[in-house]
């Protein structure tokens, strides 16, 4: 059986989200806005839940479109 490929190290893949975690209330990045602006908005939203850098990395792909 083939394993699912992912770009993350095991520490990131083993991270767990807080029980109160909800989807981020941000527009998904689709290349039409400034990437730095998207990253600033993303980090601000995630920091409402946690300061854990592992979670910051793990959740980031959910902020992207396509």
């Amino acid at each position: 059986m083939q394993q699912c490929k992912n770009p993350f190290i095991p520490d990131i893949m083993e991270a767990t989200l807080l029980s109160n975690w909800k989807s981020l209330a941000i527009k998904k990045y689709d290349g039409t806005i400034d990437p730095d602006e998207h990253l600033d908005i993303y980090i601000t939203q995630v920091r409402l839940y946690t300061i854990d850098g592992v979670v910051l990395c793990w959740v980031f792909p959910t902020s992207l479109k396509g």
Side-chain angles (χ1 to χ4, degrees), residues 7-66:
F8 300 126
I9 62 172
D11 286 347
I12 293 174
M13 290 306 299
E14 294 168 5
T16 57
L17 295 177
L18 299 172
S19 61
N20 65 340
W21 184 268
K22 295 180 183 172
S23 295
L24 299 177
I26 63 173
K27 181 179 176 185
K28 292 189 178 230
Y29 180 76
D30 62 2
T32 61
I33 65 168
D34 178 7
D36 289 330
E37 180 181 343
H38 174 76
L39 190 56
D40 287 343
I41 293 167
Y42 169 77
I43 290 171
T44 299
Q45 289 293 309
V46 172
R47 298 291 171 151
L48 294 173
Y49 294 99
T50 183
I51 59 169
D52 187 343
V54 169
V55 173
L56 193 75
C57 292
W58 191 51
V59 175
F60 184 69
T62 67
S63 78
L64 306 175
K65 183 176 183 178

